Amino acid sequence: FQKLALAHPERIARAFVSQLLTYATGAEPSYADRREIDRIMASTKAKQYGVKSLIHAVAESRLFQTK
């Protein structure tokens, strides 16, 4: 599992962001939310998708603040 996770960190991070948004907003992200999720992913790429970075990016996102 570790080898698979290390080979595709963006997939793991995207799944985490999706689950975190579901938990935080009470609604699953929709197809229309993909641009904001892409923005979250882009803003955390430089920090190698660290959990702290992902949580901060989600909290600052339009999705979290408006739902």
Side-chain angles (χ1 to χ4, degrees):
F1 175 76
Q2 273 186 328
K3 288 180 184 178
L4 182 62
L6 291 173
H8 303 287
E10 185 174 348
R11 287 184 185 179
I12 302 295
R14 186 175 293 275
F16 180 72
V17 166
S18 180
Q19 292 298 314
L20 190 58
L21 282 167
T22 300
Y23 176 77
T25 64
E28 289 187 25
S30 66
Y31 182 75
D33 299 329
R34 75 187 185 286
R35 286 190 179 150
E36 187 67 14
I37 292 172
D38 289 342
R39 191 198 64 73
I40 291 169
M41 297 301 296
S43 72
T44 58
K45 184 175 184 176
K47 296 182 181 176
Q48 299 176 346
Y49 307 113
V51 173
K52 185 176 178 180
S53 301
L54 292 169
I55 291 170
H56 281 278
V58 166
E60 293 172 350
S61 72
R62 178 190 57 78
L63 292 174
F64 179 76
Q65 294 182 6
T66 60
K67 284 193 178 185

